[in-house]
Amino acid sequence: MEELRKHIEEISPLTNEEFEYIKTFFKEKKVKKHQYLLQDGDKVTSEYWIIKGIFRAFYIDKDGKEHILQFALENWWLSDYNAFFNQSESNINIICMEDALILSLSLSAREQLASELHKMEHFFRMKLTSGYSAQQRRIISLLSNNPKKRYEEFASLYPSIMQKIPKKYIAEYLGVSRETLSRLYSNNGQ
């Protein structure tokens, strides 16, 4: 739980008493490699903070093609946020890519923390803003950049992901073929 405290305190300093209270709202969970955290059709009741591990969030279209929405590593938050905030069924899948340890937080717990502790309301707002900005950046990049530029942006923003995730998933995330990714990868001296 000390990792969680450090994470929150990057934005909002806490007293010992505040953190003791905050941690009672989180549930620790181990997730095995290849295990689904969420599947299309599941009711989404929680969001997750990753202590250790890597996850892939993806959507499967009507033709059965997988579209990667996000990778998530240590210190990242993850859920199907549309379903989480609306307390509805997921239309995405989230799968564990290596054994992981996570903390889950229900929407009611999040709302209670935010209403009782202004520091947590501020923390959650800053995290949501950051995630929304990253998503918008990705959409604009997909719409306006060529594969080389998308690859360079991704490698610059997420160098640790480049080393931990199989290239076939990175290619899919960037919207390029595996062969194109190999060319881009070798042209950048990787």
Side-chain angles (χ1 to χ4, degrees):
M1 285 283 185
E2 279 308 305
E3 296 99 338
L4 178 63
R5 183 173 185 163
K6 288 178 193 167
H7 179 64
I8 294 168
E9 287 188 330
E10 289 172 4
I11 295 172
S12 299
L14 301 169
T15 67
N16 290 336
E17 294 77 24
E18 287 169 332
F19 184 67
E20 287 302 312
Y21 181 65
I22 290 165
K23 71 183 189 180
T24 65
F25 288 86
F26 288 85
K27 293 183 177 61
E28 190 173 281
K29 179 180 180 178
K30 291 182 180 179
V31 186
K32 294 285 186 195
K33 184 176 182 175
H34 305 301
Q35 181 180 343
Y36 281 87
L37 189 58
L38 276 179
Q39 284 187 278
D40 185 2
D42 288 350
K43 181 155 172 66
V44 180
T45 59
S46 298
E47 67 177 329
Y48 307 94
W49 183 68
I50 304 166
I51 297 171
K52 174 182 165 268
I54 301 172
F55 291 85
R56 182 175 87 248
F58 60 96
Y59 169 76
I60 298 176
D61 68 21
K62 63 180 174 26
D63 297 324
K65 183 172 176 3
E66 181 179 307
H67 302 274
I68 297 176
L69 305 172
Q70 174 186 9
F71 297 111
L73 309 158
E74 291 87 6
N75 230 20
W76 290 27
W77 290 85
L78 179 66
S79 190
D80 176 336
Y81 280 103
N82 182 50
F84 174 66
F85 287 120
N86 291 299
Q87 293 292 275
S88 62
E89 293 179 355
S90 180
N91 67 350
I92 69 169
N93 300 278
I94 298 175
I95 195 166
C96 187
M97 297 181 73
E98 69 178 30
D99 288 351
L101 181 62
I102 61 174
L103 295 176
S104 67
L105 181 68
S106 71
L107 181 61
S108 60
R110 178 189 169 115
E111 294 298 318
Q112 185 177 344
L113 276 172
S115 72
E116 292 177 1
L117 294 171
H118 174 71
K119 292 176 179 183
M120 290 306 293
E121 185 279 328
H122 176 71
F123 172 79
F124 290 132
R125 185 171 43 81
M126 296 304 292
K127 285 295 170 186
L128 202 57
T129 301
S130 174
Y132 181 78
S133 295
Q135 182 182 47
Q136 183 174 314
R137 228 181 5 258
R138 174 153 190 257
I139 292 168
I140 290 170
S141 179
L142 283 170
L143 293 172
S144 62
N145 291 333
N146 64 37
K148 182 175 192 277
K149 181 71 174 158
R150 289 196 305 267
Y151 171 83
E152 289 169 350
E153 283 180 354
F154 182 77
S156 171
L157 286 169
Y158 309 111
S160 62
I161 292 178
M162 297 295 291
Q163 306 307 316
K164 293 183 175 190
I165 293 178
K167 289 181 183 45
K168 74 176 193 169
Y169 294 122
I170 294 172
E172 187 176 315
Y173 178 83
L174 295 173
V176 299
S177 69
R178 176 72 173 85
E179 295 76 20
T180 298
L181 181 67
S182 291
R183 268 195 317 279
L184 295 170
Y185 194 75
S186 62
N187 289 343
N188 281 295
Q190 301 290 326

